[in-house]
Amino acid sequence: MTASNIRQQILEHLKTLPGEQVKTVLLTWLTGTSTSLEDFERLLTHQATQTTEESFEYGEIDTELNFQPLTEAQMVQQSQSALEAYRSTGSGIAHDRVREWAESLGTDRERPCPR
């Protein structure tokens, strides 16, 4: 890979990061043992992957399609309530319906979430 290609990839990665993360990556690279563009690209790619993994939140979508973050305690409570409801009524959503819905996500024919 040419230096020009590496520079272009670095620019594309940098554009997606917040300023503080760019500063952290640059400081890490400049104070490391090697200041090659290849090392910088690897460091930047690792930082972008780490940022993506850390950005996942758990929650639910409300009736107005707004994301509502949930704490771990709230998730446990909802799971326990759902299990109790299932145990008392015996009703739930069939696996096949959930699978069909999940497989339709991201397609032109998304199915509504089974209830």
Side-chain angles (χ1 to χ4, degrees):
M1 184 174 291
T2 68
S4 177
N5 289 344
I6 293 172
R7 282 188 179 103
Q8 185 60 38
Q9 287 182 349
I10 289 171
L11 283 172
E12 290 172 14
H13 283 295
L14 286 174
K15 289 177 185 176
T16 65
L17 294 177
E20 195 60 35
Q21 286 180 326
V22 172
K23 180 180 174 182
T24 300
V25 170
L26 280 171
L27 288 173
T28 303
W29 177 61
L30 291 172
T31 58
T33 57
S34 170
T35 56
S36 72
L37 286 178
E38 291 85 3
D39 286 345
F40 184 73
E41 182 187 22
R42 277 191 290 278
L43 183 63
L44 188 58
T45 301
H46 174 72
Q47 179 70 26
T49 302
Q50 192 175 24
T51 301
T52 301
E53 290 170 357
E54 292 172 355
S55 69
F56 290 121
E57 288 186 83
Y58 296 95
E60 62 185 3
I61 306 295
D62 65 18
T63 56
E64 296 171 1
L65 299 179
N66 296 311
F67 180 77
Q68 300 297 319
L70 296 174
T71 65
E72 186 175 349
Q74 290 170 317
M75 288 186 285
V76 169
Q77 178 59 44
Q78 284 188 355
S79 296
Q80 289 173 338
S81 295
L83 180 59
E84 288 173 24
Y86 172 75
R87 285 181 176 158
S88 66
T89 65
S91 66
I93 300 170
H95 175 77
D96 290 340
R97 287 185 55 211
V98 174
R99 184 176 34 80
E100 288 171 4
W101 166 73
E103 289 175 351
S104 77
L105 295 175
T107 68
D108 293 337
R109 296 184 181 185
E110 282 190 15
R111 300 174 63 95
C113 181
R115 301 237 175 242

